[in-house]
Amino acid sequence: MGKLSPLASASATRAVLEAHGLTAKYSLGQNFLVNDAILQKIVALAEVAPVDTVLEVGPGIGTLTMALLQHAGRVVSVERDPDLPAVLAETLAPWADRFALVQKDALDLTVDDLRDALGRLDPPETAPGKLVANLPYAVAATVVLDYFERFPSLGSATVMVQKEVADRMAAVPGTKNYGAYTVKLRLYAEPAGRFGVGPGNFFPPPRVESAVLRLDRRPLHGEDGAPLAASTLKAAATMADAAFANRRKTLSNSCKTYFASRGVQGARIAAALPQLLEQAAVDPKIRGEALALEDFIRLGTALEALGA
């Protein structure tokens, strides 16, 4: 495979920034990828193909975007830095007919934003099927879970994140990285591949190790074979928060602490915890980290049955 992006070097990245009077902004977590071999591994892990419409968060100067556009049918990127659209218009000019930009904070992105941006392309597209991004580390975990929840068209996410965040995303029960976030993410997707990326692959180099992780959407079904309702997933997520409210406490005590601090409704749930745990067939004396995803789904179903 030939080089995917002429921007994938420290000298080229520095030259583009200087030409526009810019520098990397620490406040926005800007660490630009400068190794083309890593780009190739990202595209390969994501299995980007001409039929794909790809969503990217934080395109920067277009280094990864350029690589994606050489494999995908269309790319829509979300960028909050007001200085970068002018840079992207220049670096991605050869692909202007297949590239759309949303100038917005990624956490505020809506379905309508995507529809409007992709509708400007010819032929128009309505929704992306894959998220592929070198994510700003401060919001990476939030973005991934939020997008799986809100954008049902996304079948996978292949994302560059801080190594510790990747560890949480891919953790299994009984390990120190397994927590409420892991459970909530697993309600939507499961890990499907990973590789590490050192600080020297970025300009400027971050002070942390990074990893690229692929997550594939995995719809969950109930005992009747029907897809779990959004309300059940929400209830299971609430039980995950409750179970890990205090990792040192038993499931029963951690949940009691969590719900007792949440007003009248929470107090009602706290009082009914023995019945809830019995209905879910979960031992109240174990800790949250010992519970599998199926346990949290049963807990969520039991919580729903309380009318919570």
Side-chain angles (χ1 to χ4, degrees):
M1 182 186 295
K3 190 166 186 178
L4 290 181
S5 177
L7 301 177
S9 71
S11 58
T13 298
R14 188 183 296 108
V16 169
L17 292 172
E18 290 177 351
H20 289 265
L22 302 175
T23 58
K25 296 178 181 176
Y26 178 79
S27 62
L28 298 182
Q30 291 179 344
N31 300 100
F32 302 102
L33 192 56
V34 292
N35 186 336
D36 199 79
I38 300 298
L39 295 178
Q40 296 184 29
K41 292 181 70 172
I42 292 172
V43 171
L45 181 60
E47 297 181 347
V48 179
V51 296
D52 290 325
T53 297
V54 174
L55 171 62
E56 181 192 23
V57 171
I61 62 173
T63 306
L64 175 57
T65 324
M66 191 177 293
L68 293 171
L69 284 163
Q70 293 180 61
H71 288 80
R74 300 172 183 83
V75 175
V76 56
S77 299
V78 187
E79 179 56 64
R80 64 174 291 192
D81 186 344
D83 292 325
L84 291 179
V87 179
L88 292 166
E90 179 182 291
T91 59
L92 302 179
W95 300 277
D97 59 328
R98 295 192 289 111
F99 173 70
L101 180 65
V102 178
Q103 299 180 45
K104 198 171 191 179
D105 189 312
L107 294 175
D108 297 327
L109 185 69
T110 67
V111 171
D112 288 340
D113 291 330
L114 293 174
R115 184 181 298 114
D116 292 346
L118 290 168
R120 298 195 296 267
L121 303 182
D122 185 23
E125 180 58 82
T126 56
K130 293 180 177 179
L131 170 65
V132 185
N134 175 16
L135 291 172
Y137 288 175
V139 298
T142 302
V143 165
V144 172
L145 177 57
D146 179 51
Y147 282 20
F148 271 121
E149 290 176 340
R150 295 196 297 114
F151 302 131
S153 67
L154 289 178
S156 69
T158 303
V159 292
M160 177 93 70
V161 296
Q162 188 172 335
K163 177 184 177 297
E164 287 75 13
V165 172
D167 291 342
R168 289 170 56 205
M169 289 178 169
V172 296
T175 62
K176 66 176 183 178
N177 291 307
Y178 184 72
Y181 177 83
T182 313
V183 174
K184 290 189 280 188
L185 181 58
R186 200 70 77 250
L187 290 169
Y188 298 92
E190 59 186 358
R194 171 179 177 166
F195 62 88
V197 183
N201 294 287
F202 299 89
F203 172 80
R207 297 179 180 178
V208 297
E209 293 288 327
S210 305
V212 174
L213 179 69
R214 172 171 166 168
L215 297 153
D216 285 351
R217 184 181 291 277
R218 185 266 313 271
L220 297 175
H221 298 80
E223 295 180 357
D224 58 357
L228 291 182
S231 58
T232 305
L233 296 176
K234 182 178 180 181
T238 297
M239 290 308 301
D241 284 331
F244 288 97
N246 191 322
R247 295 183 71 104
R248 296 183 179 182
K249 290 186 176 182
T250 62
L251 177 65
S252 177
N253 287 335
S254 182
C255 289
K256 185 180 297 184
T257 299
Y258 177 87
F259 287 113
S261 64
R262 279 161 173 76
V264 176
Q265 176 76 336
R268 184 175 72 84
I269 297 171
L273 273 174
Q275 294 84 2
L276 186 157
L277 295 174
E278 181 178 1
Q279 181 179 339
V282 175
D283 184 352
K285 295 180 180 179
I286 65 174
R287 290 180 170 81
E289 64 197 49
L291 297 177
L293 180 64
E294 294 73 18
D295 297 315
F296 284 105
I297 292 172
R298 292 200 307 277
L299 287 167
T301 302
L303 179 63
E304 266 196 300
L306 286 177

